[in-house]
Amino acid sequence: MELHEYTQYDAVGLADLVARGEVTAAELAGAAQDAMAAVNPRINAVVESWPAEDAPAPGSTPLAGVPFLIKDLAVSMRGKHVELGSRLAAGNLAREDSFLMRRFRRAGLVTLGRTATPEFAYSTTTEPVLYGATRNPWDLTRTPGGSSGGSAAAVAAGITPLAHATDAAGSIRVPAAGTGLFGLKPTRGRVSLGPDADEVFNGLAVHGGLSRTVRDSAALLDLIQGPETGDPYFAERPRRPYTEEITEEPGLLSVGLVTTPWNGRAVEPAVLKSTLAAARLLESLGHRVDVTAVDLGVSWEEFVLANARLWSANLVTWIDGFAEAFGRPVDESTVEPAMLVSYAWGRKVSGAEFVQALDVRNRVARSIGAQFEAQDVVLTPTLPEVPVPLGTYGRGAENADGRGWLEHLFHRSPFTAAFNVAGTPAMSVPLGFDHATGMPIGVQFAAGHGREDVLFRLAAQLEKAAPWSERRPAVWAGAAARSA
């Protein structure tokens, strides 16, 4: 299969070709590896690749035979490295498949490599010291976002149509917005984090994926959702598959429009324009859109402090664990400066302060949950700005402590983290475009607990009304093949 043919299809389309015998899974794996060779040297999205290990039966699932990539964090593939983007964990090998990896295999996905993440996924840009910065396929001088920036860049550039991602404060939605992809953060407990963890960042983090089409993300979540033995909580099972939901109209929805983030920072004109255009599109489709204010339940300062306590205290256990396992020091030779100050700050978080942070999580969840008793969906910008140049995140935070670093991150992405704390689903949809910079713009939609069905139906309607999948970034595997 030629690259210009391979990159024309989404994951469901490729699986259909395999099911009909028009191409084999091995041929698709070869095409993905060719795509990787063509574009990865320019974007640095995939940090390690390997030959296909799995040979799924054609047609056994809606994704059987599709090339796939996993993030270098939170999922373990037997015999493969899991380094969390850190020199401290360099060389760390997984002994067994995690629950999620087993589900990826059962889904018929053919995993071919792992993608870049910032160190410990503790940023919304992907510029780790370990493997170097990942570049945005739309503009190689800009960040693709993070922490799932490697997966986003790989999918946007056409290496695979679908890739694994995680989200603890926006790490699916931020890079989706920055690279013109669709990305949905599921409800807390929708996908198991086991067996090595019962929860990550105390319930803030979830597994999901990044894709160029809505149906690919729907098919993926159908195949990986559901609890495993020992999970601390789980979301109610969907009433029907999400791949069926996307074939139905969403009905007339009540939508709350929010354009000012909780920290009050300004939203760039191009982003505001795209968000308001999305609101008008919703109205043209029959939905009711009202400007609203979503009560966070706590002050922004309390919100940032609680998140900093949860994040940094968790970070301490990770860093100490890897330092002990590998006999390595915790210093500038193994850990990046922002993580060192966060580690030092986290070591000072008391048990009482940690419990207070969990109380903030509860208050935010109750308050945001109440919003969806009045409205079906909340619409916001995903990000307040288009993707910034590489190196931007390091400026202005040189003297920050652990709390200051997280506040710096949340300043860059103030709309996304609240829905992680609340545990409710949210998605970034690539409805906007900034012609001045040539960059895509995502808008965020959030819904109530367990209501991915509402979001998928709406996303499918928007994709039909304002299609985006034919947009191509400057670095695109199909174009590279034609020019070769």
Side-chain angles (χ1 to χ4, degrees), residues 299-367:
S299 70
W300 181 253
E301 291 71 23
E302 287 179 285
F303 181 79
V304 171
L305 179 60
N307 274 272
R309 285 171 171 169
L310 294 176
W311 281 52
S312 63
N314 278 271
L315 180 69
V316 168
T317 66
W318 299 349
I319 288 178
D320 284 347
F322 282 114
E324 180 179 358
F326 289 103
R328 291 170 180 161
V330 179
D331 59 24
E332 295 84 355
S333 70
T334 59
V335 180
E336 296 173 28
M339 294 303 91
L340 282 176
V341 297
S342 297
Y343 171 77
W345 196 84
R347 289 178 65 87
K348 299 175 183 177
V349 174
S350 70
E353 289 171 335
F354 192 84
V355 172
Q356 290 168 355
L358 293 175
D359 178 64
V360 169
R361 185 189 70 175
N362 176 62
R363 283 186 279 159
V364 172
R366 304 295 179 184
S367 186

Side-chain angles (χ1 to χ4, degrees), residues 235-312:
E236 182 180 359
R237 291 186 66 86
R239 289 169 289 183
R240 57 181 173 177
Y242 297 122
T243 46
E244 291 183 15
E245 294 291 357
I246 63 174
T247 67
E248 300 293 333
E249 292 295 316
L252 302 183
L253 301 176
S254 171
V255 180
L257 172 63
V258 177
T259 57
T260 301
W262 290 282
N263 67 348
R265 74 156 285 180
V267 174
E268 287 184 354
V271 175
L272 180 59
K273 180 180 178 181
S274 292
T275 307
L276 296 177
R280 291 192 297 272
L281 175 60
L282 290 171
E283 290 176 328
S284 75
L285 294 169
H287 305 297
R288 176 175 174 172
V289 180
D290 295 297
V291 175
T292 191
V294 177
D295 184 5
L296 195 58
V298 298
S299 70
W300 181 253
E301 291 71 23
E302 287 179 285
F303 181 79
V304 171
L305 179 60
N307 274 272
R309 285 171 171 169
L310 294 176
W311 281 52
S312 63

